Amino acid sequence: MARKCKGCGAVLQSENEAVPGFIPKSVLEDDTKKDIICKRCFRIKNYGSYEPVDITDEDYLKEVKKVVTESNVVLFIIDLIDFDSSMDKVLLDIVRTRPIIAAVNKIDLLPDKKHPSEIANWVKKRFAEYNIIPFDIAILSVKDDYGVNGIVRKLSYLFPDGAKAAVVGVTNVGKSSLINGIIGGKSKVTVSKYPGTTLKALSVAHPDKNHIFIDTPGLIPKGRVSDMVCEECNLKLVPSKEISRKTFKIKAGKVLMLGGLVNIQIINTGEVLPIFQAFAAKDVTFHQTNEIRAAELIERKAGEFVMPPCEKCRDVFYERKFEKRRFTVNEGEELFFKGLGWISVRRGPLEVEVILPEGMEAVVREALVAPKKY
Ligand code: GDP
């Protein structure tokens, strides 16, 4: 049987360095070496380098479908901070007929500490919008080892003879991290901040329970602005530390820039000023200005003022077409920008005209971080 890379699941080969799974012939033919990883995984693990590969969405989806069909439960992993990107319709359609445990990860990044049951209720309602009722909802911070053992206990209860769990989700939600958290030990799958690290399905057995976890390649979802910038900016938009939150009370005509990625112009006409909070990774500049100055900044590609995009990728980024969209966001609702963050309305309604790159998706949703009731 062909040997597979323990990091990304690609079949190991020593013919072509440009193809996934490459390792030098001497290593491949050395039978004494067990858990070998390919050159690409070695570089990601040891040097943190970005190693893109050419694999189509169709290849990914085929692999995911196969794994889901062969499993008896799906762990659908979601990044709480980029929730609406994680709820990718293509992936949800693949898993919707299977028993699903929704695993909501990265709660450590939320600045407002919320009770897990509150988050779970919100998640349940969000799944209902897609006509899916998950079997169970697990709230996690794999990074802080919170909730990881709970998933194993749950599987042991539901599948006393052993679960075959497909671990599914878009890129960067923490699939590989969760599997490593569950199995512990040394032989780990490759975790990286770069999308598309896991290339092929990769089975990992739990050390003492009879469960098998299958890490699947992540799909890069539609509409995420973090996938439209360079790798360095992408890393900045996928936060590793608690995200920032800032409150704004801005007059009509003024603009809030979320980095140089999105301009939010307030167009309220009433007497009462709307109040809202913006949430995004710490490296995203919140810049308040007026319409003319905001347009000038974009025109001048003023990278150092409003980041991301950075110096390196801003020329390419601003070559895109931009579009204007209007939104009315009521108190208790949020305007969510995929791959970036959200604004949460404290006193509304907030009426805005948003300029965003074509292809980036924005949605109005019920607030995850709702205004406090006094
Ligand atoms: P995958 O593409 O879904 O397999 O995601 P990875 O497991 O490779 O993780 C993507 C990024 O998210 C990595 O930088 C991880 O360190 C980070 N990450 C994973 N879980 C957590 C978590 O619970 N909290 C935080 N803050 N970061 C996490």
Side-chain angles (χ1 to χ4, degrees):
M1 208 170 86
R3 297 174 84 181
K4 285 185 174 181
C5 166
K6 293 281 173 203
C8 67
V11 172
L12 291 167
Q13 51 87 20
S14 53
E15 280 88 51
N16 188 344
E17 205 166 342
V19 172
F22 178 83
I23 48 163
K25 206 166 181 204
S26 55
V27 187
L28 183 62
E29 287 176 352
D30 185 347
D31 289 335
T32 59
K33 288 204 163 64
K34 276 209 177 108
D35 294 339
I36 341 180
I37 56 171
C38 70
K39 193 169 167 195
R40 174 174 168 273
C41 283
F42 184 84
R43 291 180 57 80
I44 294 175
K45 280 186 176 173
N46 294 293
Y47 311 128
S49 67
Y50 181 49
E51 305 278 326
V53 285
D54 214 7
I55 285 191
T56 63
D57 281 1
E58 287 72 45
D59 289 337
Y60 277 129
L61 290 174
K62 219 165 103 189
E63 191 74 12
V64 175
K65 270 185 199 154
K66 189 168 146 254
V67 171
V68 167
T69 317
E70 288 166 3
S71 65
N72 53 11
V73 61
V74 172
L75 293 182
F76 193 83
I77 319 293
I78 290 161
D79 176 347
L80 180 63
I81 300 305
D82 201 7
F83 190 91
D84 294 78
S85 308
S86 309
M87 296 294 275
D88 185 81
K89 193 150 179 319
V90 176
L91 275 190
L92 286 170
D93 282 343
I94 294 179
V95 301
R96 62 166 60 247
T97 56
R98 315 290 299 167
I100 298 170
I101 296 180
V104 185
N105 189 25
K106 306 198 189 180
I107 59 156
D108 56 287
L109 294 175
L110 206 60
D112 266 315
K113 296 301 163 224
K114 288 183 80 75
H115 195 276
S117 64
E118 238 184 303
I119 300 175
N121 280 338
W122 183 83
V123 171
K124 201 166 153 186
K125 280 193 256 172
R126 300 302 317 275
F127 265 91
E129 291 169 20
Y130 293 82
N131 290 321
I132 295 176
I133 303 171
F135 212 61
D136 196 18
I137 296 171
I139 305 297
L140 307 173
S141 165
V142 176
K143 185 175 162 233
D144 294 346
D145 201 19
Y146 174 83
V148 176
N149 289 337
I151 289 208
V152 178
R153 276 200 302 274
K154 180 78 61 184
L155 290 176
S156 300
Y157 174 74
L158 295 171
F159 302 94
D161 297 331
K164 196 167 180 194
V167 182
V168 177
V170 302
T171 52
N172 268 339
V173 290
K175 295 181 296 299
S176 305
S177 305
L178 175 65
I179 293 188
N180 288 337
I182 288 174
I183 59 167
K186 278 200 302 192
S187 172
K188 296 196 163 182
V189 296
T190 307
V191 173
S192 99
K193 287 182 155 203
Y194 306 111
T197 305
T198 307
L199 302 177
K200 286 268 178 189
L202 201 72
S203 289
V204 185
H206 190 276
D208 357 283
K209 309 274 190 257
N210 207 9
H211 306 313
I212 291 172
F213 297 88
I214 311 156
D215 192 7
T216 61
L219 178 80
I220 298 181
K222 290 234 162 14
R224 227 166 40 174
V225 76
S226 48
D227 297 314
M228 301 179 189
V229 288
C230 68
E231 290 89 58
E232 276 155 48
C233 288
N234 181 295
L235 294 193
K236 289 187 172 151
L237 290 168
V238 180
S240 48
K241 296 202 189 74
E242 191 176 284
I243 57 170
S244 47
R245 169 186 44 181
K246 198 166 174 204
T247 305
F248 294 92
K249 192 171 165 188
I250 310 182
K251 281 202 207 102
K254 294 276 183 195
V255 174
L256 172 67
M257 299 178 73
L258 299 183
L261 305 172
V262 167
N263 285 4
I264 304 166
Q265 184 173 354
I266 316 301
I267 53 169
N268 278 61
T269 47
E271 290 278 291
V272 183
L273 288 189
I275 301 176
F276 61 93
Q277 290 188 323
F279 295 78
K282 289 224 171 357
D283 287 314
V284 176
T285 328
F286 294 151
H287 185 64
Q288 219 186 115
T289 182
N290 61 39
E291 191 184 355
I292 296 169
R293 181 91 179 110
E296 257 172 37
L297 276 172
I298 298 292
E299 186 71 24
R300 281 203 290 118
K301 300 173 186 164
E304 67 287 356
F305 240 110
V306 283
M307 297 245 282
C310 69
E311 188 92 35
K312 210 169 91 188
C313 66
R314 63 193 204 213
D315 281 341
V316 176
F317 182 77
Y318 291 126
E319 266 171 25
R320 290 170 186 279
K321 278 197 190 145
F322 283 76
E323 58 184 15
K324 278 187 186 171
R325 288 183 61 193
R326 284 192 177 219
F327 296 93
T328 300
V329 193
N330 294 310
E331 209 162 291
E333 288 180 341
E334 290 165 351
L335 177 56
F336 183 85
F337 301 101
K338 289 193 179 179
L340 173 58
W342 67 93
I343 56 174
S344 186
V345 175
R346 305 284 147 176
R347 188 167 73 194
L350 171 71
E351 285 170 53
V352 288
E353 185 170 270
V354 178
I355 301 180
L356 72 177
E358 210 174 62
M360 179 184 182
E361 289 175 19
V363 287
V364 175
R365 67 182 193 186
E366 183 189 323
L368 164 63
V369 185
K372 291 207 166 44
K373 302 235 174 352
Y374 296 101

